[in-house]
Amino acid sequence: MNYGQAVEFLMNIPKFTHEPGLEPAKRLLELLGNPEKNKKIIHVAGTNGKGSVCAYMNSVLTKAGINTGLFTSPHLVRIEERIRVNSHMVSEEMFADAFEVVFKCAKELEAEFGKLSFFEFLFGMAMYCFDKAEVEYIVLETGLGGRLDATNAIEKPAVTVITPISFDHVGVLGDTIRAIAGEKAGIIKQGVPIVFWAENETVRDVVCARAEKLNAPCRPIYKNNYEILKNSNKSVDFCVHNRYYKNSGYSVPFPAAYQAGNAMLAIEALDVLAGTDERITYERVAEGIKNTS
């Protein structure tokens, strides 16, 4: 199929095509040659702010000269917006190539699992594109929930992030904050650091309990971890004062005050990565966040 035919096919796939579960996505990754191997993956779940947090981290990594893949949803105009390499949408040719490869894998999996869902298909295509582009880091946003989201087929991310949680998709994730938090916390992995928005006590209890069970180093983020210095109609300037930083200053190029909190989550996750990557410096983090688009 060409690009146009691929897009038409994808847009006609139902949102849900089989019972929720990770096996189809895991088997898809296997058929693709496990493109997630040897990649440093930042896995992001939550209700509010996921897109912003992913955009901040992607901006920092690419502006630091690091080959980076970004997978997000939904798209606004073009479906390729969901799959970016070094902040650029993949080409129509690459998109069509990825579709053909995943289409063949989907046919092979159909007898066992039924048809792949729209999101599983796009997730597989993204991982194929990132492998072909030889990216080093992947910023991976969940689609729905976390525990049973296709992206959770990734078994060993470098760090996980959970943004503020509120009521969303209650028919699938549950009708209480505790239930929804439990689904989001499903992305936490054994020994993998977790950075999360901890203002809600119920969310904090659920995430910390899961992290303790899995021996995952836990970094809760609160509003008092930062102070807004200036809020104009173009940007928000703030400083950070917690146990990891000493009054470091940052600026986000958006007027909404809550973006400082989203940036804090990104800063903390990047700090985890900086422990093993000297390219992620304070200067590069500050510059990348300031120039996020």
Side-chain angles (χ1 to χ4, degrees):
M1 296 186 194
N2 60 30
Y3 166 80
Q5 292 169 326
V7 172
E8 183 179 3
F9 180 93
L10 289 167
M11 297 307 292
N12 282 290
I13 298 177
K15 190 172 183 178
F16 301 107
T17 56
H18 53 72
E19 287 297 313
L22 299 180
E23 283 309 308
K26 287 182 177 180
R27 287 283 291 118
L28 176 59
L29 290 175
E30 290 175 5
L31 292 178
L32 292 172
N34 289 113
E36 77 280 9
K37 299 299 184 185
N38 302 316
K39 303 287 193 299
K40 298 172 184 176
I41 296 175
I42 306 164
H43 198 191
V44 182
T47 304
N48 305 308
K50 287 186 299 179
S52 295
V53 172
C54 289
Y56 289 132
M57 292 188 289
N58 177 70
S59 177
V60 169
L61 294 170
T62 56
K63 285 177 170 53
I66 300 171
N67 206 19
T68 304
L70 173 66
F71 178 62
T72 59
S73 59
H75 62 275
L76 297 178
V77 180
R78 297 178 63 90
I79 196 170
E80 308 97 285
E81 294 170 25
R82 297 168 178 257
I83 306 173
R84 296 174 181 262
V85 174
N86 296 329
S87 298
H88 299 292
M89 293 186 295
V90 295
S91 67
E92 292 184 2
E93 291 76 17
M94 172 61 82
F95 190 90
D97 180 44
F99 173 83
E100 285 289 348
V101 172
V102 175
F103 182 81
K104 292 176 183 177
C105 295
K107 285 296 183 184
E108 189 170 338
L109 294 172
E110 195 168 322
E112 186 176 359
F113 301 108
K115 296 182 183 296
L116 290 182
S117 69
F118 173 80
F119 189 79
E120 287 168 337
F121 220 107
L122 266 295
F123 169 59
M125 289 173 60
M127 297 306 293
Y128 173 85
C129 290
F130 297 152
D131 192 42
K132 288 297 178 183
E134 298 183 339
V135 304
E136 184 177 351
Y137 281 87
I138 297 173
V139 181
L140 197 61
E141 180 187 356
T142 60
L144 176 62
R147 182 176 65 92
L148 297 177
D149 190 80
T151 59
N152 208 30
I154 300 296
E155 295 182 348
K156 192 68 176 179
V159 60
T160 57
V161 181
I162 298 177
T163 68
I165 291 174
S166 61
F167 289 99
D168 69 318
H169 299 287
V170 295
V172 178
L173 304 181
D175 58 3
T176 66
I177 290 296
R178 180 171 295 277
I180 295 170
E183 292 296 314
K184 310 287 188 182
I187 70 168
I188 301 173
K189 300 295 192 300
Q190 183 73 41
V192 176
I194 168 70
V195 177
F196 75 102
W197 188 253
E199 283 291 326
N200 184 292
E201 183 178 358
T202 299
V203 171
R204 185 167 65 249
D205 290 346
V206 170
V207 172
C208 288
R210 172 79 176 171
E212 182 177 5
K213 181 179 180 180
L214 295 175
N215 195 31
C218 202
R219 288 195 183 189
I221 305 300
Y222 302 90
K223 287 182 180 178
N224 63 10
N225 290 151
Y226 62 91
E227 178 183 352
I228 293 178
L229 304 175
K230 180 182 178 182
N231 190 348
S232 70
N233 62 355
K234 292 184 178 179
S235 64
V236 177
D237 299 340
F238 64 100
C239 67
V240 175
H241 41 81
N242 61 18
R243 66 180 183 269
Y244 304 112
Y245 300 90
K246 295 181 179 179
N247 297 314
S248 301
Y250 298 90
S251 180
V252 294
F254 311 107
Y258 62 78
Q259 286 292 354
N262 291 335
M264 269 299 306
L265 289 166
I267 289 165
E268 292 286 353
L270 289 162
D271 185 66
V272 171
L273 301 174
T276 57
D277 194 330
E278 61 184 13
R279 295 170 295 179
I280 304 174
T281 63
Y282 161 71
E283 292 77 14
R284 285 172 173 164
V285 172
E287 184 69 14
I289 287 176
K290 183 178 180 180
N291 290 285
T292 300
S293 61

